[in-house]
């Protein structure tokens, strides 16, 4: 960080005892974390015009640069800032409107919303490429959440769906980078899952939502469906908190043993992970199932504990699929973490203003949160991406260079080139 020195010196350099001049023998330095409040400015684009005194005919001037907002007065940097504040840190536009007003800037939220829609229009091809790239990997995580969307014709909201599709091979050193892509669906029908994943060939790790199970019925193309042990554990945890059930406590203890093994093997190659699971986890798993079956005979099937046991047994094959494949995680927490920002957004925004607004949300949140997964500043990333797309410096057939992990690699290999 830059340092600013504030020197607190004595008033007189004359010794109060003998009158001789004092000389410096040292200093005491204390550092304090400081802040410069956000500063807005006006960027002036100056294009000199040149004429010829000889022929008095030619007048030359560089053409005006392309703008993200036609005829607008906003830079790509400000668009990126507003987008990141809303879709990266869940700050609604009405609060940003208030923050602008506090600095004497009048910008209504309708203007901000239209700016976000235009930014998403520019970035939609990159979002499509991000989706296709993520979907090309042989192992994915998926989760979904209801999304209220304002229905102006009916004067109230309707319930739509937001999907998160994530990938991350870091736990076993695989090729897929950490990334997430969000997709909006106009309703919660099971057909939406088939539209998203119907042609996918790979391993999909999910929760117990029935729409996923329909993917492997009636000749679906999906190779494998893996389930999430965190969801199973959560059901036992809820029972334990509510009733202090010793059976639930024992189930939690056994599941904790699975996770302890996962902690030891995280980061190892897939083959090593599979071998450790075969030797250490499989005996525990094989003992867990008959124990659950025996306990189910002792409790009411309609009780919370009975439902937790039945959920685990009904999803057994998918829950235990990770044992034989070192690429599969024990749970789907990877995508659970990625969908949390959407949940926080719903809490702050309450609803999307339109289906177009929900599409804008999906596009911008995908790129921003994928950038955050790459540990890069989403403001810098989105600003540069918008500038390169709007100016035409990056052509449509070069969009792969703007995917967050490729952008980061280019920045790290040639920071001066990217800054230029």
């Amino acid at each position: 960080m830059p340092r600013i020195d504030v020197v607190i010196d004595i008033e007189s350099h004359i010794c109060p005892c003998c009158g001789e001049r004092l000389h410096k023998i040292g200093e005491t330095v204390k550092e304090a974390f400081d802040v410069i409040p956000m500063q807005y400015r006006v960027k002036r684009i100056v294009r000199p015009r040149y004429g010829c005194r000889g022929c008095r005919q030619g007048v030359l001037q560089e053409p005006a640069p392309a703008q993200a907002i036609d005829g607008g007065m906003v830079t790509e940097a400000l668009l990126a800032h507003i987008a990141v504040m809303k879709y990266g840190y869940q700050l609604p536009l009405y609060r940003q409107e208030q923050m602008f007003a506090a600095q004497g800037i009048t910008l209504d939220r309708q203007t901000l919303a239209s700016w976000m829609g235009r930014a998403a229009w520019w970035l939609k091809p990159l979002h499509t490429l991000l989706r296709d790239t993520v979907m090309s990997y042989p192992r994915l995580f998926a989760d979904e959440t209801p999304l209220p969307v304002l229905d102006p014709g009916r004067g109230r909201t309707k319930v739509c769906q937001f999907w998160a599709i994530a990938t991350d091979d870091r736990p076993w050193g695989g090729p897929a980078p950490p990334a997430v892509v969000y997709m909006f669906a106009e309703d919660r029908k099971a057909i939406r899952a088939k539209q998203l994943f119907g042609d996918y060939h790979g391993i999909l790790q999910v929760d117990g939502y029935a729409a996923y199970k329909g993917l492997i019925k009636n000749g679906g193309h999906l190779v494998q469906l893996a389930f999430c042990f965190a969801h199973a554990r959560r059901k036992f945890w809820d029972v334990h908190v509510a009733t202090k059930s010793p059976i639930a406590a024992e189930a939690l203890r056994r599941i904790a043993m699975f996770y302890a093994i996962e902690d030891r093997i995280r980061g190892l190659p897939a083959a090593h992970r599979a071998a450790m699971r075969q030797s250490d986890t499989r005996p525990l798993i094989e003992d867990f199932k008959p124990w659950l079956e025996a306990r189910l005979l002792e409790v009411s099937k309609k009780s919370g504990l009975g439902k937790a046991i039945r959920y685990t047994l009904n999803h057994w094959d998918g829950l235990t699929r990770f044992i034989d494949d070192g690429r599969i995680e024990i749970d789907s927490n990877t995508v659970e973490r990625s969908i949390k920002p959407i949940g926080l957004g719903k809490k702050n925004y309450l609803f999307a203003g339109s289906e177009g607004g929900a599409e804008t949300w999906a596009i911008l949140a995908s790129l921003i949160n994928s950038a955050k997964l790459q540990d890069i500043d989403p403001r810098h990333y989105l600003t540069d991406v918008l500038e390169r797309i709007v100016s035409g410096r990056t052509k449509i057939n070069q969009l792969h260079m703007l995917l967050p992990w490729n952008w980061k690699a280019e920045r790290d290999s040639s920071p001066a080139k990217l800054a230029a």
Side-chain angles (χ1 to χ4, degrees), residues 55-66:
C55 65
R56 298 181 180 275
Q57 297 282 335
V59 176
L60 297 179
Q61 183 183 40
E62 275 295 300

Side-chain angles (χ1 to χ4, degrees), residues 15 24 32 64 164 191 201 224 237 245 344 351:
C15 178
K24 185 177 179 180
I191 189 64
H201 294 65
Q224 288 182 331
W237 174 259
S245 164
L344 290 173
F351 54 83

Side-chain angles (χ1 to χ4, degrees), residues 135 163 185 188-200 204 209-222:
M135 294 287 288
W163 297 81
R188 303 191 67 210
K189 295 178 181 177
I191 189 64
R192 305 306 171 197
K194 292 185 178 180
Q195 291 172 344
L196 279 175
F197 305 106
D199 294 326
Y200 177 66
L204 189 63
Y209 182 36
Y212 298 123
K213 300 172 187 176
L215 297 173
I216 56 176
K217 295 179 181 178
N218 304 320
H221 296 292
L222 193 67

Side-chain angles (χ1 to χ4, degrees), residues 106-107 139 151 219 286 309 341 351 364 420:
T106 302
L107 278 173
R139 189 180 65 92
D151 187 353
E286 291 179 345
I309 295 174
F351 54 83
L364 295 175

Side-chain angles (χ1 to χ4, degrees), residues 99-325:
M99 294 169 68
F100 279 115
Q103 299 203 37
I105 302 170
T106 302
L107 278 173
D108 61 77
R109 72 195 74 172
Q110 287 78 16
T111 298
L112 300 179
S114 68
W115 285 357
M116 293 299 94
R118 186 60 176 174
W121 181 85
W122 284 104
L123 296 169
K124 187 173 183 178
L126 184 58
H127 175 261
T128 300
L129 178 62
L130 176 65
R131 179 202 64 197
D132 293 345
T133 304
V134 167
M135 294 287 288
S136 71
Y137 291 111
R139 189 180 65 92
L140 297 177
F141 302 88
D143 199 6
E144 77 296 324
T145 184
L147 179 67
V149 175
L150 188 63
D151 187 353
R154 304 171 65 184
R156 56 189 177 90
T157 60
K158 60 181 179 179
V159 180
C160 299
Q161 190 96 314
F162 227 57
W163 297 81
I165 308 167
T167 181
D168 189 352
D169 283 354
R170 289 177 297 180
W172 58 278
V180 60
V181 61
Y182 303 104
M183 300 297 296
F184 168 70
E186 58 267 30
D187 54 48
R188 303 191 67 210
K189 295 178 181 177
I191 189 64
R192 305 306 171 197
K194 292 185 178 180
Q195 291 172 344
L196 279 175
F197 305 106
D199 294 326
Y200 177 66
H201 294 65
I203 302 165
L204 189 63
Q205 191 151 18
V206 295
D207 57 23
Y209 182 36
Y212 298 123
K213 300 172 187 176
L215 297 173
I216 56 176
K217 295 179 181 178
N218 304 320
H221 296 292
L222 193 67
V223 176
Q224 288 182 331
L225 199 63
F227 291 122
C228 171
F229 241 115
H231 280 78
R233 180 191 179 279
R234 194 174 302 147
K235 296 181 183 299
F236 287 108
W237 174 259
D238 291 342
V239 173
H240 175 64
V241 170
T243 67
K244 306 301 180 186
S245 164
I247 295 177
E250 175 63 13
L252 292 172
R253 186 190 70 81
R254 289 172 179 255
I255 295 173
M257 295 170 68
F258 309 156
Y259 273 90
I261 297 170
E262 292 301 304
D263 288 340
R264 297 204 312 265
I265 64 176
R266 184 162 288 108
L268 297 179
H272 292 181
R273 282 158 56 99
M276 290 287 287
R277 287 167 174 172
Q278 290 291 331
S279 62
D280 296 357
T281 309
R282 181 172 288 280
L284 300 176
I285 288 285
E286 291 179 345
D287 185 56
F288 189 37
K289 185 177 183 181
W291 180 84
L292 287 173
E293 292 170 336
R295 301 293 80 76
L296 187 59
L297 299 176
E298 300 173 2
V299 301
S300 169
K301 292 184 179 181
K302 295 183 179 181
S303 65
L305 182 57
K307 291 178 180 177
I309 295 174
R310 284 192 292 114
Y311 176 89
T312 305
L313 293 174
N314 290 342
H315 295 82
W316 190 256
D317 289 343
L319 285 172
T320 59
R321 186 153 282 135
F322 75 99
I323 297 175
D324 299 313
D325 192 332

Side-chain angles (χ1 to χ4, degrees), residues 290-401:
W291 180 84
L292 287 173
E293 292 170 336
R295 301 293 80 76
L296 187 59
L297 299 176
E298 300 173 2
V299 301
S300 169
K301 292 184 179 181
K302 295 183 179 181
S303 65
L305 182 57
K307 291 178 180 177
I309 295 174
R310 284 192 292 114
Y311 176 89
T312 305
L313 293 174
N314 290 342
H315 295 82
W316 190 256
D317 289 343
L319 285 172
T320 59
R321 186 153 282 135
F322 75 99
I323 297 175
D324 299 313
D325 192 332
R327 299 172 300 166
I328 303 177
E329 288 291 277
I330 190 174
D331 55 40
S332 60
N333 284 349
T334 295
V335 73
E336 290 278 325
R337 290 189 293 270
S338 293
I339 209 165
K340 276 187 177 180
I342 305 302
L344 290 173
K346 289 196 300 180
K347 187 175 181 180
N348 288 345
Y349 321 146
L350 300 182
F351 54 83
S354 65
E355 291 189 4
E359 290 280 3
T360 293
W361 190 350
I363 292 170
L364 295 175
S366 296
L367 295 170
I368 290 168
N369 286 299
S370 291
K372 291 168 71 175
L373 288 172
Q374 294 293 324
D375 294 324
I376 54 181
D377 185 340
R379 289 186 183 87
H380 291 165
Y381 167 72
L382 207 60
T383 298
D384 185 65
V385 166
L386 278 169
E387 288 177 347
R388 291 166 70 168
I389 291 177
V390 171
S391 68
R393 285 192 292 125
T394 299
K395 309 301 182 185
I396 192 70
N397 60 350
Q398 300 172 319
L399 280 182
H400 63 279
M401 299 168 56

